[in-house]
Amino acid sequence: MPSKRLNYIAIRFMPHTAAERRIAMTYEILFAGFGGQGILFSGKVAAYAGLMGDMEVSWLPSYGPEMRGGTANCHVIISDSPVGSPIVNNPTDLVAMNLPSFTKFEKTVLTGGNIIADSSLISIKPDRDDINFYPIPATQMASDMEIPKLANMIIFGKLIAVSKFATMETVRKAVEKSVPPSKKELIEVNMKAIEAGYNYIG
Amino acid sequence: MDKVLMKGNEAIAEAAIRAGCRHFFGYPITPQTEISAYMARRMPKIGGTFLQAESEVAAINMVYGAAGAGVRAMTSSSSPGISLKSEGISYIAGADLPCVIVNIVRAGPGLGGIQPAQSDYFQAVKGGGHGDYRMIVVAPSSIQEIVDSTFLAFDLADKYRMPVMLMGDGMLGQMMEPVAFPDTTGVKLPEKEWATTGTKKMRKPNIINSLYIQPDELEALIKNRWKKYIEIEQNEVRFEAEGTEDAEIILVAYGATARIVKAAIKKARENGIKAGLIRPITLWPFPSDVISAAAKKVKAILCVEMSMGQMVEDVRLSAAGACPVHFYGRTGGVVPIPADVYDEIRRYV
């Protein structure tokens, strides 16, 4: 599927002059799913990947009642200019890990943006054709690979493959930063999950 | 130094420790509990004291005691908890003691809600506690500025011997951004000759007190304290101004709201509207002079807050009728979005 990213860059930044016609680099990513799926952790790795790539970043979690109610989401902005509002109202990239999140946020994605959905848990397709849709059976893959808690990192790998906001080398550094020092053994297994998602063709 | 990603709440705690704070007294409340959690983890390892008090009232009075003993002491809470601490803050102001109080504001009144708000401006700036007193209020807008403001808060508290409030909101407390911490090795904390550290029979006892029964004596004391407040108004005003030189409309906003306003201003500039921003960093002392000067040059001022309109009263006092001062606010934990602020800008130019 051809990338439509350039379309929304034009829509969002409307360069007025030749000098401004550089490609504006801003990724506004919304990670959404159930509490316990590792939504906030995926967002943290994304933010660190941005930081390691010398970009400006922000990370904003949902907190309070909606977390206790079972849904979690996390707003990550990665940009080559300072981040203004840390709230992602219209994502360039949506990572949906359950059906309620998919139906809630599908409409908000910018034209030309990407929706990456866990097709093990979301059987429907987007109700629009102006975005790029990437289904990936992350939960099933995680189960097959006997890393059931790392569906979040498999789908994160697909996000990297699609949006290209960081190289895999940078992603590794980000994982090293995000995993607590007492759990270093988790670095390799996280990378294995990310690579599986990164290389997934569906 | 390497930048790390940190939540606003954790950044406050780490910065406080690096600023020499070894005494923290807290009581948990969303959305600032990470401050207490961080202190609980770190303080025992560095010879400090973390104490979860039985209530907010107890925690602020423990700060009162520790500050009297001359150490850098801090407490943190969110809106309803700050109401409970207000009595203690008044006593601390009345006893001329330095300390830092963090308020990560949530929606009120009452228990309200846990989402971001700025509806404690009056409480912070006009005195939540009783009596003639002032409190320096610092309101950062990014996580790096939170770090810098925490150092500033402790320094100003010691310099002027008074309570300083660090005011954020649920969004700033919960969000992560890259931060770097200044190197503080070898930095000496100021001597406090007035502290009640025991005379060791070498000097007269120091007395810390806020009770003065004789009206003449109390008036003289307060008037003397007011000289300090005037000095602060002259020397410690901090603000950020952006795009004000050619502006036809100036927006005034602080804290997290200023970030949303900046996004709206960017859009306005892209569409040919000359909008600028004045962002108070200290809410008291308030940047009245810069707003007063700007009011004489612009068509209108638009104040944006996460409240029904509190700081706007100080903006109107500063503008003193030189231009219309409009207000846009969301409250109850609702965060304004840039598109709505942009629509408001268009109404007034």
Side-chain angles (χ1 to χ4, degrees):
Chain A
M1 201 182 291
S3 171
K4 292 174 187 162
R5 178 171 292 279
L6 281 174
N7 294 349
Y8 70 64
I9 286 169
I11 290 161
R12 295 205 66 221
F13 298 98
M14 290 182 289
H16 301 300
T17 66
E20 285 175 308
R21 285 184 69 87
R22 65 190 172 80
I23 295 182
M25 297 260 286
T26 295
Y27 302 86
E28 301 200 7
I29 310 167
L30 179 58
F31 295 89
F34 292 121
Q37 278 182 315
I39 295 292
L40 301 186
F41 184 80
S42 322
K44 188 175 174 182
V45 177
Y48 258 119
L51 177 60
M52 298 291 170
D54 281 332
M55 305 275 276
E56 306 277 348
V57 301
S58 69
W59 175 98
L60 179 70
S62 56
Y63 66 92
E66 66 272 15
M67 273 175 84
R68 289 163 204 170
T71 64
N73 65 65
C74 173
H75 303 206
V76 175
I77 299 179
I78 299 170
S79 179
D80 61 354
S81 53
V83 178
S85 170
I87 298 172
V88 175
N89 295 307
N90 297 107
T92 59
D93 301 83
L94 168 65
V95 175
M97 291 193 69
N98 67 8
L99 187 61
S101 306
F102 181 82
T103 48
K104 185 176 177 187
F105 296 118
E106 177 209 337
K107 299 176 283 293
T108 66
V109 177
L110 281 170
T111 295
N114 303 315
I115 297 179
I116 301 129
D118 186 342
S119 55
S120 310
L121 304 173
I122 304 161
S123 52
I124 58 171
K125 287 186 163 54
D127 198 21
R128 51 190 286 197
D129 58 7
D130 62 336
I131 47 94
N132 305 301
F133 180 54
Y134 301 97
I136 172 169
T139 298
Q140 186 60 50
M141 287 167 74
S143 173
D144 293 347
M145 291 168 70
E146 295 181 343
I147 44 171
K149 284 182 176 170
L150 291 181
N152 64 327
M153 290 289 100
I154 293 176
I155 200 165
F156 178 80
K158 187 67 191 169
L159 169 71
I160 295 293
V162 165
S163 69
K164 301 183 178 66
F165 66 80
T167 62
M168 283 300 265
E169 196 185 337
T170 312
V171 168
R172 171 174 281 277
K173 285 186 202 162
V175 170
E176 286 168 3
K177 274 274 188 186
S178 306
V179 169
S182 58
K183 295 183 181 168
K184 281 208 182 302
E185 71 279 7
L186 294 179
I187 293 171
E188 288 314 319
V189 65
N190 271 284
M191 284 310 297
K192 196 176 119 189
I194 293 169
E195 278 157 15
Y198 188 82
N199 296 323
Y200 173 80
I201 298 164
Chain B
M1 186 192 166
D2 259 8
K3 283 193 171 180
V4 290
L5 283 179
M6 260 186 155
K7 275 191 169 193
N9 285 335
E10 295 166 344
I12 290 169
E14 179 61 28
I17 288 168
R18 288 178 189 238
C21 173
R22 291 292 179 275
H23 294 79
F24 178 88
F25 309 96
Y27 188 82
I29 180 170
T30 306
Q32 64 76 54
T33 299
E34 291 87 354
I35 301 177
S36 276
Y38 196 95
M39 290 299 198
R41 268 199 315 275
R42 288 274 280 128
M43 281 300 197
K45 290 179 186 158
I46 54 173
T49 297
F50 162 83
L51 205 151
Q52 180 170 319
E54 67 270 34
S55 72
E56 288 88 347
V57 176
I60 191 69
N61 282 295
M62 289 171 186
V63 168
Y64 185 8
V71 297
R72 284 193 159 179
M74 182 168 103
T75 186
S76 70
S77 193
S78 180
S79 310
I82 298 294
S83 293
L84 288 165
K85 288 182 199 291
S86 293
E87 179 197 50
I89 295 171
S90 167
Y91 277 63
I92 291 167
D96 292 308
L97 291 177
C99 70
V100 174
I101 300 128
V102 181
N103 185 4
I104 302 299
V105 181
R106 61 188 248 177
L111 273 179
I114 60 172
Q115 298 300 325
Q118 295 181 317
S119 40
D120 297 356
Y121 178 92
F122 285 153
Q123 184 193 48
V125 167
K126 310 293 178 188
H130 57 280
D132 268 333
Y133 79 95
R134 286 293 194 182
M135 178 163 63
I136 295 174
V137 182
V138 191
S141 178
S142 70
I143 311 303
Q144 184 63 53
E145 199 173 64
I146 278 179
V147 168
D148 302 340
S149 300
T150 305
F151 284 94
L152 177 70
F154 278 104
D155 289 345
L156 291 179
D158 279 348
K159 182 174 178 186
Y160 295 105
R161 274 181 71 181
M162 63 189 285
V164 176
M165 178 171 279
L166 185 65
M167 195 150 103
D169 60 69
M171 191 196 294
L172 287 169
Q174 294 296 322
M175 68 183 281
M176 285 203 292
E177 280 185 317
V179 288
F181 291 90
D183 185 8
T184 50
T185 46
V187 175
K188 280 212 160 162
L189 298 183
E191 291 288 324
K192 294 174 180 173
E193 286 165 3
W194 46 263
T196 48
T197 52
T199 64
K200 300 178 189 75
K201 295 183 180 166
M202 303 282 280
R203 61 165 167 82
K204 280 188 178 171
N206 288 332
I207 294 167
I208 288 166
N209 175 37
S210 73
L211 176 64
Y212 295 87
I213 295 294
Q214 295 295 334
D216 291 352
E217 193 190 353
L218 183 54
E219 187 192 46
L221 185 84
I222 292 170
K223 282 192 163 176
N224 200 38
R225 194 176 290 138
W226 230 259
K227 288 182 197 157
K228 173 170 84 179
Y229 293 158
I230 289 164
E231 192 188 328
I232 292 167
E233 284 180 324
Q234 285 166 350
N235 297 329
E236 305 297 350
V237 173
R238 285 167 173 83
F239 63 91
E240 179 194 1
E242 204 175 276
T244 51
E245 308 78 16
D246 63 343
E248 51 189 323
I249 181 167
I250 296 248
L251 284 88
V252 184
Y254 70 95
T257 306
R259 302 173 66 115
I260 289 145
V261 165
K262 277 183 184 178
I265 287 175
K266 193 176 167 201
K267 192 175 175 196
R269 289 260 167 190
E270 280 170 4
N271 287 289
I273 299 169
K274 288 180 180 139
L277 171 72
I278 294 174
R279 175 173 73 88
I281 297 171
T282 49
L283 302 182
W284 190 84
F286 192 70
S288 303
D289 290 352
V290 65
I291 291 171
S292 166
K296 296 183 181 102
K297 298 196 299 187
V298 295
K299 277 186 210 161
I301 288 176
L302 171 62
C303 183
V304 184
E305 297 175 58
M306 287 191 282
S307 78
M308 290 302 286
Q310 300 195 8
M311 180 176 72
V312 65
E313 293 192 1
D314 285 334
V315 176
R316 288 202 174 109
L317 282 171
S318 308
C323 76
V325 176
H326 305 286
F327 176 74
Y328 177 69
R330 299 301 304 266
T331 193
V334 180
V335 178
I337 62 170
D340 290 346
V341 177
Y342 172 68
D343 288 345
E344 288 294 310
I345 294 173
R346 283 184 52 186
R347 281 179 65 183
Y348 304 117
V349 289

